[in-house]
Amino acid sequence: MLRIECPCCGPRDHDEFRYGGDASVTRPAHDDPDPEAWYRYVYIRTNPRGQHREFWQHVTGCRQWMVVERDTRNHAIASVDFARKSTVRKQPA
Amino acid sequence: MSSNRKRLPVGGRIRREVPVNFTFDGRKLAGYRGDTLASALLANGVTLVGRSFKYHRPRGIFSAGPEEPNALVTLGSAGRREPNLPATTLELADGMVVESQNRWPSLAFDVQSVNGLLAPFLSAGFYYKTFMGPTRRAWMFYEHFIRKAAGLGRAGTGPDPDRYEVRHAFADVAIVGGGPAGLSAARAAAAAGARVALIEQDFLLGGQLLAEPSDSAAAAWLRQAEAELEDFETVALMKRTTAFGSYDGNVLGLVEQRDPTDPQPNGETRQTVTMLRTRSIVFATGAIERPMVFSNNDRPGVMLASAARTYLNRFAVLPGKKIIVATTNDGAWRAAFDLADAGAEVTVADVRAAPPTALAAEAARLGVVVRAATRIVDLHGGHAVRRVTLNGPEGQSSAACDLVCISGGWSPTVHLTSHLGVRPVYRDDIDGFVPGVFSASQFGAGAMIGAYVTAAAVEDGHRAGIEAAASCGKSAPVPAPSKLDLDETATSSLREIPSVGRGKAFVDFQMDVTTGDIELAHREGYESVEHLKRYTTLGMGTDQGKTSNFAALAAMAALRKATIPETGATTFRPPYTPVAIGALAGRAIGHHFKPIRRTPMHDWHMANGAEMLEVGLWMRPYFYWQSGRNVNEAYVAEMRTVRQAAGLMDISTLGKIDVQGPDAAIFLDRVYANGFAKLAIGRARYGVMLRDDGIVFDDGTTTRLAENRFFMTTSTAKAADVLSRLEFLLDTAWPDLRVAVTSVSDEWAAMSVAGPNSRAILNAAFPALDVSEEALSHMGLLESEWEARALRILRLSYSGERAYEVYVGATAGEQLWSRLLEAGRPFDLKPYGVEALGALRVEKGHVAGPEIDGRTTLDDLGLGRMAGKRSGFVGDVLRRRPALRAPNRQRLVGLECIEEGKRLRGGAILFLPDEKPHGHGRGRVTSVTFSPERGHYVGLALLAGDVAAEGSEVVAVYPMKGETVRARVVSPVFIDPQGERLHG
C-alpha cells in the first residue's frame, strides 16, 4: 500500500498511478543507431536491493510522469519529482 | 432450556438474564449472551464438535481463540452459509444454525474414520509423490476419492443476500490487540494527543485479562481502563475486528464482523473490510499457548490450559471434573489452581524436575496433586478422554480423567510483523520467537515481545503508546498507568520432548500432521522449515498452524540435532485469519464488478435489437437480431449489406487523441514507424507504432487538421496505453519537443458509413456539404458543424468498401446516428455489429488485435515496407535484430478452407499435410470468417516462413473439438486486392 506524494496533487494511493519501469536507465537519443545502447536501455536492469529510481504516472490524477525514489526493501519513498523537470535539467533545450 | 450442565451457578462474563437459543447439527441448545459458540457447547456438555481433515478423527474444542485448529463449524444456510469458522470466535446469537464439518453420515459415527486405517497411504509427501513421481497418473484415480474424503466445510453456492463493505480510514496510532498491553498503549497514545484506533478481534476488550476471575483486581483494572478509553473522543474502539494483514506504509487490513446479537433487517452489512492508514502502529497481539505432543493428544477433552482457564473464569463453564494439567511452565499452574478452586480434582504433571516451591505450596493448599518430572506419553478414549498414561520418576502409571489441559509454553503472535518482513528472532530465555527490528514508526508491546507477566505488559504498553504518539509528533504529558499486579511468576519453561506411544502424536491438528510425518520428512531430506511445511502440509490449514508451528520446529530441530535458530522460522503471510472473499470484494460484485463504458449511441442499440458484447470495459453491438436468427447468420447478412449497399457502425470506442504544438509533426514522425512529417493538411494516414523492442504496439489513423494539430485514433483496446506512452515520451525522453497530447475519446461520437452507397447517404444526410470524390477523396478530411456541434468526416475504410468515419460532438451522437439511418433508408443502410466488422477486415486482410499480439514485427505482418528506409523512430533499431529478421519467423498469410462443408477456427494449430499433429506446429490461425464473396471460410494466420509460400497446403488442427481441416495458403487480401472499391 504505497502512498505517493504527487508534487501536483498531494499524497495519493498507488492505485491512482501506473508504474513505468526503471528511471535510472538512459534512453538513447531517438536517432541513435547503436543497437548495443538500445539493448541496454530496453533489457539491462540492475534490480537493486535498496534505493531505486523509477517512473510512475499519475494516470487518474494530473497525468504527469514522476521519478520516484523507492527503497525496494521496504517500499519507503525518499523522493518524488516531475520526470519532465529532471530530464529538462539534464539536457537544456 | 437445555441443561447447561457444566455451567457454574455464579461468575463469568455472561449475561444470565439473556438466554440465547441455537442449534448444533439440528440439536436445540441454549447458552447466554456473552457466550461464544464454543463456550455454549462446552456448557451443554458437547465435547465432540468436528472430524479431522485427513483421518476423520474425532475432535473437540482445543482453544478459546482464533488459533483454534479443531472446532471448525459451518454457520448459516443457503447463500449465507459460511464454512470453517472457529467455534471459539463465534459470538453466540439467537437463532444461530451451526453444523459440524467433514463427517458423514453423522459426527458420532463417521464411516471415513477408516482413513485412520489407511494412514500409511495418506502420510506426508503423499501429494508430492503422487504428482511428481512415476505415479503421476494415479492422481486421476485418487482425486475423486480424496477430494470427497479430505476437506473442510462447504460454502453456500447460492448468491449471498448479505452486503459487505470496503472502506478506507485513517488514524495516527493503531493498536492491534486489546489486552493489558494494548489497553495501556491506547490510553497512553490518546493522552499524548494522538488519534487512536484500538483493534480487538474479540467482542470484549481485555485479552488474557478475560481469563481472570470476574471479581478479581484484574477485572476492576479492565473496567477502569475501558471507561478511560471511552472518555477519549479521539479513540475508536474497534471490537469484533481482526487485523488480518499488515502492509507497507503502516497500512492495516481489518475485517469487522457485525454484532450478531443486534437484530438487523436484511441488507445490513455483515462484514466490513477497512484499509486503515496510520502513522504508527503498536502491535500488542499477545501470545498463543503451545500444545504438548504425545500419543492421541488430539482427542476431544484435550485443551490448552489457558483455554480451560478462560472457559472457567470468563464463561463460568467447568469443562472437567477430573483434570490432568500437563505443563512445561509456571503459567498452566494458575489454570490448575482455578480449576481446583472451582471444585475439580486436579493433578499437575510438570515435565520439570523441580517446579517452583511457591507453586507447590499453593497446590498443597488447594489439594492439587503435583507430579514433577512427569509427562503424558499416551491418552486413551475415543470421543472423550478417559485416562492417560504418565511417565515419571516412578515409571509409568495410569490416571483416569475427563479433561487434559496442556501447556507447552507460549509463542508470541508475530504474524502481523512478519507480514512486513520483520524476521522473527529466537529468544532463549522464553524459548520462543519475537519480532526482530521494527521500523521507526512501529512498536511491539506485551506478550508479543516476550513480556508475559501482566504487570510488565502494562508498563510495556504504556511506553509503546507514548513512543508511537511521539513518532507522529504527539507528546502531551501522559499520567502513569494504574498498576496491575497479578502475582505471577516469570514463566520459566522447559522445552518439551515429544513423547510418543503407540498412537499418533499430532503436531498440526488441523492438517493432521504427526511426529511420524516430521520424521518421514527428515528421513527423506526435507529438513529446511520451508520444505518441511510444503512436504507435510504443516501450517497450511485455515489456522496457518498457529498452535503447531513451534512444536514442529522443535521436533525437526531435535531430529537434526540442531538448535531452534539453526532450524529456522517459517514466514507468515496475510491473512492472519481467513477473510471471506465477499468481504474483500465489498460492493464490487455483479453489475458493479468493474465500470461499464457505454457509447453515446448505447440506448439506441438497446432499443433496436442489438446483442451487446463486452469489449474490455466497453459495451458494443455484437450483431443486430433483425439481421439473422443467430450470430453466424446475422454477421454474414450484415457483411453482405456493407458489400452491396451500406452499413452503419458505432466506432465511438476508438481511442482519440488530440496532438498539438509546434513540434507535433516531428513528434508523430518519431512515434510512428511510417512518416508523418510530410502529411498534408486535411489528409489522413494509416500509421503503425512500435515498442522500443521493435515489436508492433498499435495501429490507427492520424489526420493533420492544421500545421500544428493532428487528430490521432488508436485501437479500442490500446487507447489508454498509447496515450500514456505518448505522455511518457514527451515527459521523459523528449521534453524539448513542444507538444501536448490530450485524450478526446469521450468528446466525440464516431460512426462509420461503409459500402457502395455511403456517399449517396452522406449527400442525403448533409445536403449542404460537398462530399464528392473531388472534395473528399480517399484519406481526405472534411470539417464542419452539425446541430451546433463540431463535425469531422474522414474518408477512411476498414472494410475495404468506400467508407466514411463521421465524428460529431458526443452529445449529438445518437441524434446523428438516427439522422444517418433515416437518410440511408432509401439506400438500404443498416446497422452492423463488431462481428461483421471483424469479418470484413479479415476479408480485406487488415491486421488487428489477434495479429498485433505483442510478439509480431512489421515484417511479420507484411507491413515492413511502411517503414521503408526510415530511421529514428521508436523501435527502429531493435526491430533490425537478427532474431526478428530470421527468414523462418512466422508471418502473416491468408488461408482458405478447401474442404467442402468444413470451417476454420481461430486458434487452430497449423501442420504440414504429412506431419503428425503434435506440439506447437508451424503456426496458428489468428482470425477467421465465412466469406460470402468466396463462398467458404477464410482466415488470417501466422505461419513459418519456409512453408508459407502461396499455393501450398496446410492442415489446421483444433484439438478442443477434435477437428482437422485442410487449407490453402493464399494472399491475406481476399477481396479487391487493388483497392479499387476505395476510390472513385
Side-chain angles (χ1 to χ4, degrees):
Chain A
M1 307 287 144
L2 302 183
R3 252 185 299 176
I4 297 174
E5 180 94 27
C6 173
C8 189
C9 312
R12 316 294 299 183
D13 191 271
H14 77 264
D15 279 358
E16 296 185 5
F17 292 79
R18 163 198 282 253
Y19 181 68
D22 193 340
S24 65
V25 288
T26 315
R27 186 185 177 90
H30 75 98
D31 53 357
D32 185 339
D34 177 15
E36 188 60 30
W38 283 98
Y39 162 73
R40 277 196 307 272
Y41 168 67
V42 172
Y43 294 106
I44 301 303
R45 296 291 179 272
T46 51
N47 193 20
R49 182 172 184 274
Q51 288 298 325
H52 188 231
R53 277 165 56 82
E54 54 202 22
F55 289 120
W56 288 80
Q57 185 187 19
H58 197 186
V59 277
T60 62
C62 58
R63 292 204 67 90
Q64 298 300 303
W65 278 95
M66 321 285 171
V67 174
V68 173
E69 239 183 319
R70 178 180 64 97
D71 192 319
T72 58
R73 293 166 303 180
N74 54 19
H75 300 312
I77 290 175
S79 72
V80 184
D81 204 355
F82 291 123
R84 184 171 273 267
K85 209 156 112 191
S86 50
T87 43
V88 165
R89 226 183 283 125
K90 257 192 287 180
Q91 42 178 89
Chain B
M1 177 154 179
S2 176
S3 69
N4 268 260
R5 63 193 164 87
K6 294 205 173 175
R7 189 86 69 180
L8 298 172
V10 291
R13 295 168 185 278
I14 46 168
R15 290 174 55 190
R16 292 169 199 260
E17 74 282 12
V18 190
V20 178
N21 296 301
F22 67 103
T23 67
F24 179 69
D25 281 346
R27 264 175 82 188
K28 288 196 170 73
L29 297 171
Y32 297 110
R33 173 74 56 86
D35 261 327
T36 61
L37 175 66
S39 68
L41 288 172
L42 285 171
N44 283 281
V46 178
T47 52
L48 171 64
V49 295
R51 287 274 171 178
S52 75
F53 183 67
K54 230 161 55 174
Y55 302 127
H56 287 243
R57 285 170 69 103
R59 293 284 168 83
I61 292 159
F62 184 69
S63 74
E67 67 268 34
E68 178 62 33
N70 286 342
L72 304 181
V73 297
T74 298
L75 175 68
S77 54
R80 289 199 172 86
R81 192 179 160 89
E82 192 178 358
N84 310 334
L85 299 169
T88 49
T89 59
L90 272 182
E91 186 174 357
L92 198 68
D94 224 26
M96 222 176 207
V97 177
V98 182
E99 282 174 38
S100 61
Q101 300 183 162
N102 206 25
R103 82 292 191 260
W104 189 84
S106 77
L107 189 54
F109 176 73
D110 180 291
V111 293
Q112 281 168 340
S113 57
V114 295
N115 280 7
L117 305 174
L118 300 177
F121 161 80
L122 287 169
S123 65
F126 168 75
Y127 292 93
Y128 183 81
K129 287 169 184 164
T130 306
F131 285 128
M132 305 302 290
T135 54
R136 203 158 51 217
R137 282 169 190 279
W139 178 247
M140 301 295 198
F141 165 74
Y142 291 138
E143 185 183 5
H144 173 73
F145 159 71
I146 288 179
R147 288 227 188 277
K148 230 178 134 158
L152 295 162
R154 285 183 177 77
T157 50
D160 186 341
D162 288 331
R163 200 170 72 181
Y164 300 82
E165 293 280 356
V166 176
R167 65 176 198 134
H168 297 261
F170 302 85
D172 291 331
V173 179
I175 287 147
V176 188
L183 290 167
S184 175
R187 176 185 165 279
R195 275 188 316 146
V196 173
L198 177 63
I199 298 140
E200 171 52 53
Q201 61 88 22
D202 204 329
F203 53 92
L204 294 181
L205 293 175
Q208 281 303 313
L209 297 182
L210 297 172
E212 300 296 328
S214 53
D215 55 358
S216 62
W221 188 93
L222 175 56
R223 270 194 302 277
Q224 191 200 332
E226 206 170 339
E228 275 185 77
L229 288 177
E230 273 164 5
D231 281 346
F232 282 106
E233 277 180 9
T234 48
V235 175
L237 295 176
M238 305 179 77
K239 297 179 206 170
R240 298 184 181 84
T241 303
T242 302
F244 63 78
S246 137
Y247 305 99
D248 298 307
N250 288 336
V251 176
L252 292 169
L254 313 177
V255 61
E256 181 184 355
Q257 308 288 333
R258 116 183 131 199
D259 179 353
T261 65
D262 182 14
Q264 286 163 324
N266 273 349
E268 291 298 317
T269 303
R270 176 163 164 185
Q271 293 178 14
T272 304
V273 164
T274 301
M275 297 314 290
L276 181 68
R277 288 172 170 76
T278 70
R279 298 168 72 190
S280 74
I281 303 176
V282 176
F283 295 98
T285 46
I288 293 172
E289 197 164 28
R290 304 199 282 247
M292 295 180 79
V293 181
F294 49 85
S295 284
N296 299 314
N297 59 344
D298 65 322
R299 292 295 186 203
V302 179
M303 188 182 280
L304 292 172
S306 60
R309 189 157 182 260
T310 298
Y311 288 117
L312 174 67
N313 289 331
R314 176 173 173 182
F315 300 106
V317 174
L318 185 58
K321 290 225 165 93
K322 203 166 165 52
I323 302 170
I324 307 284
V325 177
T327 183
T328 62
N329 59 81
D330 294 358
W333 288 69
R334 306 190 74 222
F337 299 156
D338 287 358
L339 291 163
D341 206 29
E345 195 182 308
V346 181
T347 300
V348 174
D350 196 317
V351 297
R352 296 173 296 180
T357 48
L359 295 175
E362 179 70 1
R365 194 182 70 78
L366 289 162
V368 172
V369 179
V370 177
R371 303 191 50 181
T374 301
R375 55 172 49 88
I376 303 178
V377 290
D378 206 350
L379 183 142
H380 312 275
H383 292 177
V385 53
R386 291 196 317 273
R387 93 198 139 74
V388 291
T389 306
L390 296 170
N391 190 21
E394 312 88 40
Q396 292 211 346
S397 61
S398 181
C401 58
D402 60 357
L403 182 73
V404 174
C405 298
I406 54 177
S407 177
W410 292 80
S411 289
T413 311
V414 297
H415 300 67
L416 287 174
T417 51
S418 288
H419 294 176
L420 295 163
V422 176
R423 289 203 71 84
V425 293
Y426 178 75
R427 241 176 70 186
D428 206 33
D429 59 328
I430 59 161
D431 191 29
F433 284 94
V434 294
V437 183
F438 284 99
S439 79
S441 55
Q442 295 180 351
F443 306 87
M448 81 90 64
I449 56 167
Y452 291 149
V453 174
T454 308
V458 169
E459 289 295 329
D460 213 31
H462 185 72
R463 166 200 55 82
I466 290 173
E467 286 175 9
S471 83
C472 347
K474 311 284 182 187
S475 39
V478 180
S482 318
K483 290 258 183 279
L484 174 60
D485 194 348
L486 296 184
D487 196 25
E488 294 149 293
T489 45
T491 189
S492 70
S493 182
L494 181 72
R495 175 89 51 73
E496 189 238 353
I497 299 138
S499 336
V500 184
R502 280 179 42 213
K504 288 186 192 326
F506 285 85
V507 175
D508 186 328
F509 294 73
Q510 192 184 117
M511 295 308 286
D512 270 351
V513 177
T514 65
T515 48
D517 292 323
I518 293 173
E519 280 159 23
L520 181 66
H522 173 251
R523 212 160 49 236
E524 301 198 343
Y526 296 92
E527 292 189 337
S528 115
V529 177
E530 296 295 339
H531 289 160
L532 170 69
K533 194 170 142 180
R534 282 154 185 81
Y535 197 65
T536 61
T537 70
L538 175 102
M540 292 192 173
T542 58
D543 66 342
Q544 273 196 33
K546 290 184 178 62
T547 53
S548 67
N549 260 300
F550 194 87
L553 210 57
M556 182 53 91
L559 288 166
R560 289 175 59 184
K561 299 187 174 38
T563 63
I564 291 271
E566 281 164 5
T567 311
T570 57
T571 310
F572 297 105
R573 295 187 177 84
Y576 173 65
T577 51
V579 183
I581 297 285
L584 295 172
R587 294 211 207 178
I589 54 168
H591 189 64
H592 299 289
F593 180 64
K594 58 184 183 183
I596 295 171
R597 298 184 77 180
R598 299 179 183 87
T599 74
M601 287 80 96
H602 182 84
D603 292 347
W604 189 93
H605 302 316
M606 296 305 289
N608 289 276
E611 180 67 30
M612 302 301 280
L613 181 71
E614 280 182 41
V615 183
L617 299 179
W618 286 103
M619 296 301 292
R620 301 192 70 180
Y622 183 29
F623 64 91
Y624 293 86
W625 282 104
Q626 56 267 37
S627 308
R629 286 171 304 175
N630 56 46
V631 58
N632 288 323
E633 222 178 271
Y635 89 80
V636 173
E638 289 173 6
M639 282 175 86
R640 283 207 177 92
T641 304
V642 173
R643 298 264 182 247
Q644 288 162 12
L648 186 63
M649 171 81 203
D650 183 350
I651 54 168
S652 304
T653 60
L654 288 179
K656 307 172 205 72
I657 299 171
D658 187 90
V659 183
Q660 289 193 49
D663 299 320
I666 298 171
F667 176 62
L668 292 174
D669 223 35
R670 291 186 192 174
V671 298
Y672 277 120
N674 49 326
F676 274 77
K678 294 193 185 109
L679 182 65
I681 293 168
R683 300 298 295 175
R685 182 169 288 172
Y686 173 70
V688 178
M689 293 180 193
L690 307 187
R691 309 189 308 214
D692 287 323
D693 63 358
I695 299 292
V696 174
F697 176 32
D698 194 39
D699 66 345
T701 55
T702 287
T703 308
R704 190 166 206 164
L705 303 172
E707 180 64 25
N708 297 333
R709 188 169 181 200
F710 293 80
F711 177 62
M712 175 188 285
T713 63
T714 73
S715 68
T716 298
K718 294 279 175 60
D721 290 345
V722 170
L723 179 68
S724 181
R725 194 68 195 162
L726 297 180
E727 289 164 331
F728 178 82
L729 291 168
L730 288 170
D731 272 1
T732 71
W734 312 318
D736 52 318
L737 292 185
R738 294 159 299 167
V739 180
V741 291
T742 312
S743 168
V744 291
S745 294
D746 294 340
E747 277 63 28
W748 295 95
M751 52 210 92
S752 162
V753 189
N757 295 345
S758 54
R759 181 155 57 217
I761 294 162
L762 289 196
N763 262 325
F766 309 110
L769 297 182
D770 180 3
V771 292
S772 66
E773 172 68 17
E774 294 69 38
L776 186 57
S777 60
H778 186 54
M779 305 305 274
L781 162 75
L782 190 157
E783 280 194 287
S784 182
E785 270 192 12
W786 189 77
E787 301 289 322
R789 268 78 153 208
L791 177 76
R792 281 178 194 162
I793 302 176
L794 282 164
R795 186 158 166 199
L796 298 173
S797 176
Y798 193 51
S799 56
E801 303 301 323
R802 176 195 293 144
Y804 301 84
E805 290 183 358
V806 183
Y807 294 82
V808 70
T811 50
E814 189 177 338
Q815 197 185 345
L816 179 56
W817 175 271
S818 300
R819 171 80 195 107
L820 285 170
L821 279 173
E822 190 189 309
R825 196 171 299 134
F827 305 98
D828 294 327
L829 178 68
K830 292 203 175 65
Y832 65 105
V834 288
E835 190 63 19
L837 177 84
L840 290 162
R841 70 99 189 163
V842 172
E843 260 194 331
K844 182 65 184 171
H846 283 312
V847 291
E851 290 80 32
I852 302 178
D853 65 353
R855 291 177 287 185
T856 46
T857 66
L858 278 178
D859 292 319
D860 296 342
L861 299 176
L863 300 172
R865 67 188 180 283
M866 286 182 72
K869 293 198 170 13
R870 296 184 73 239
S871 63
F873 57 88
V874 172
D876 172 44
V877 175
L878 291 187
R879 88 184 180 94
R880 297 169 198 264
R881 281 179 289 169
L884 297 186
R885 293 248 150 144
N888 203 30
R889 277 183 69 82
Q890 294 183 0
R891 59 180 172 83
L892 186 77
V893 297
L895 287 183
E896 56 182 5
C897 185
I898 51 175
E899 278 189 78
E900 197 66 39
K902 286 202 177 180
R903 56 166 301 180
L904 289 169
R905 286 189 194 274
I909 307 169
L910 299 174
F911 296 92
L912 298 183
D914 49 359
E915 239 173 0
K916 186 166 176 267
H918 179 76
H920 295 287
R922 308 292 181 126
R924 67 202 156 83
V925 180
T926 53
S927 308
V928 298
T929 179
F930 179 79
S931 168
E933 297 219 354
R934 294 292 191 99
H936 52 240
Y937 272 90
V938 300
L940 301 178
L942 291 163
L943 183 60
D946 58 344
V947 295
E950 282 183 25
S952 55
E953 238 184 69
V954 290
V955 175
V957 178
Y958 197 78
M960 297 285 287
K961 288 185 183 286
E963 289 177 2
T964 299
V965 55
R966 284 163 50 223
R968 186 182 298 117
V969 179
V970 295
S971 155
V973 186
F974 296 94
I975 57 140
D976 187 27
Q978 304 307 315
E980 285 154 358
R981 299 185 194 178
L982 303 172
H983 300 279

